[in-house]
Amino acid sequence: MTTTASVGALLRTWRERRGISQLELAGRADSSSRHISFVENGRSRPSEEMVLRLADHLDVPVRERNALLLAAGYAPRYAHTPLDAPAMGALRAGMEQLLTGYEPYPALVVDGTYTVVAANRGILMLLEGVPEDLLEPPLNAMRLTLHPRGLAPRIRNLRQWRGHLLAQMERQIALARSEPLRALYEEVAAYPLPPEPEPGPGGHRPGGPDDAEVPVPYIALPLLIEHDGHLLSFVSSISTFNTPLDVTVAELAIETFLPADPATVKYLRSLGP
């Protein structure tokens, strides 16, 4: 009964986190609210198929689906294969091809705690000038971006970009029970911010989107960052793998940075191969 109660408590936590009623979950999972109630309070032991079905409808991360199965007395369904394992060779090659093909624009791959597992020359270009101690592996994208000795001093719209990144992490923490991610959030959120720049003529504050060399109608919040005396503007896009069956793959994300104005395109192409 202890095992059943454990999986029931976990499922109830995920259901409440998603803001779904027992009746709504039962409808989605082709079950009954009575059965869902019995599972949650430990009076009924869910089948392996039911655990996976409920996890699917509750959008439980792959890592946590294994925890649900174990709590219900079943073997984990999803492998956790190291990225450097031979079985991951094709995946690594595919990611490297994608990152190289995206050059000269920056792109990188991170895991579930923003550890950088692969990056292209566009990212290395942005990291030029960052102190060596911050570049010691394992690199962490959030730490490098927001650290006061990292990229932060060169990000012209740091307050807006920092707010975007912290909100992104908050959403991830709400979706997954990740103590390492929460610890990282608390660390980077505590980094000091530079003082607000003084307003210029007409009340204009430097460091905002209108500081770009060529005004453009941005389609999303841009990352405005200086490199070698040039102001570069990017919008970012994050891609994940569809229907992953491995914990490692499920937690990988590919982030690409698309130039947001013609001046950035021209500058990056001028750097050559």
Side-chain angles (χ1 to χ4, degrees):
M1 184 62 68
T2 301
T3 301
T4 306
S6 178
V7 69
L10 289 173
L11 286 168
R12 181 173 59 251
T13 297
W14 283 108
R15 179 181 60 77
E16 292 174 346
R17 187 174 295 178
R18 297 294 184 259
I20 300 173
S21 68
Q22 290 181 344
L23 182 61
E24 184 178 357
L25 179 58
R28 294 183 184 183
D30 193 25
S31 184
S32 68
S33 58
R34 176 185 173 88
H35 182 57
I36 299 298
S37 176
F38 277 20
V39 167
E40 289 188 355
N41 63 31
R43 295 179 61 184
S44 177
R45 179 175 183 263
S47 66
E48 183 178 14
E49 183 204 359
M50 177 58 74
V51 172
L52 292 172
R53 195 189 313 165
L54 293 175
D56 185 51
H57 289 289
L58 291 171
D59 196 24
V60 177
V62 170
R63 179 189 294 271
E64 299 302 327
R65 296 187 189 199
N66 277 343
L68 287 172
L69 288 167
L70 283 170
Y74 303 111
R77 175 70 64 91
Y78 304 97
H80 193 175
T81 312
L83 194 56
D84 59 359
M88 292 291 201
L91 176 67
R92 293 195 305 273
M95 290 192 304
E96 290 293 340
Q97 184 177 13
L98 187 154
L99 296 180
T100 301
Y102 201 71
E103 293 174 351
Y105 308 146
L108 74 165
V109 182
V110 296
D111 66 12
T113 55
Y114 292 94
T115 298
V116 178
V117 299
N120 68 3
R121 287 182 293 179
I123 291 292
L124 298 181
M125 176 268 295
L126 292 180
L127 293 178
E128 291 173 0
V130 172
E132 289 295 327
D133 61 298
L134 290 181
L135 296 177
E136 293 178 0
L139 300 181
N140 185 277
M142 285 292 181
R143 192 173 289 120
L144 283 170
T145 302
L146 298 179
H147 197 283
R149 293 192 301 115
L151 295 179
R154 290 164 42 199
I155 298 177
R156 295 281 290 276
N157 60 338
L158 177 61
R159 291 178 183 271
Q160 298 98 319
W161 192 251
R162 174 182 180 273
H164 154 69
L165 294 182
L166 293 180
Q168 175 179 305
M169 295 180 74
E170 288 170 355
R171 289 193 296 271
Q172 289 178 275
I173 291 170
L175 289 173
R177 302 181 307 165
S178 173
E179 289 306 317
L181 185 59
R182 182 177 296 278
L184 176 65
Y185 173 87
E186 293 174 353
E187 175 192 337
V188 299
Y191 288 160
L193 273 169
E196 282 275 16
E198 291 296 323
H204 165 68
R205 288 184 182 274
D210 53 349
D211 279 324
E213 294 178 10
V214 180
V216 295
Y218 290 114
I219 59 173
L221 177 68
L223 167 65
L224 299 176
I225 185 168
E226 294 178 355
H227 179 266
D228 197 24
H230 295 266
L231 179 62
L232 306 182
S233 177
F234 299 97
V235 290
S236 69
S237 173
I238 296 177
S239 302
T240 56
F241 290 88
N242 192 28
T243 61
L245 299 177
D246 188 284
V247 174
T248 299
V249 177
E251 295 180 349
L252 292 178
I254 303 170
E255 184 165 14
T256 54
F257 292 85
L258 181 70
D261 60 33
T264 300
V265 174
K266 181 179 179 181
Y267 177 72
L268 292 177
R269 290 181 175 174
S270 73
L271 297 179

